[in-house]
Amino acid sequence: MGFLAGKKVLIVGIASKLSIATGIANAFFREGAEIALTYQNEKLKKRVEGFGEQWNSQIILPCDVAIDDDITNVFGEISKVWDGID
């Protein structure tokens, strides 16, 4: 059990296995965190879903951080599943 056991985190920015966000998510998962993921567009959706399977992610949502409504939607959807983000 890692030092992030029971923590809930949101990871954005995964584009490939070389993304800094991917390294962060790997470390968080290794340390026991639950991970929610976002993908920027349909092109990246399958790739992010694949990473989500590795990390047992139950929340994978579309979010282009350049679009305010996408950001609002992500937090709304997460709040339906989790009581907050650590």
Side-chain angles (χ1 to χ4, degrees):
M1 176 135 342
F3 73 92
L4 294 176
K7 300 294 184 182
K8 295 172 174 70
V9 298
L10 171 63
I11 304 289
V12 300
I14 292 176
S16 76
K17 67 181 181 180
L18 302 176
S19 297
I20 292 171
T22 303
I24 292 167
N26 275 323
F28 280 24
F29 178 71
R30 181 188 67 235
E31 294 301 326
E34 289 182 63
I35 299 172
L37 301 170
T38 67
Y39 54 91
Q40 183 181 19
N41 54 43
E42 288 299 312
K43 179 180 175 184
L44 295 173
K45 181 179 180 181
K46 274 278 199 221
R47 188 176 306 163
V48 173
E49 288 174 340
F51 286 116
E53 288 178 20
Q54 287 178 259
W55 302 317
N56 301 321
S57 298
Q58 301 300 309
I59 303 171
I60 302 174
L61 301 165
C63 183
D64 183 333
V65 296
I67 302 171
D68 290 343
D69 287 342
D70 278 8
I71 297 168
T72 301
N73 183 57
V74 163
F75 286 98
E77 291 299 314
I78 288 173
S79 71
K80 292 177 184 177
V81 182
W82 291 347
D83 59 355
I85 296 174
D86 298 299

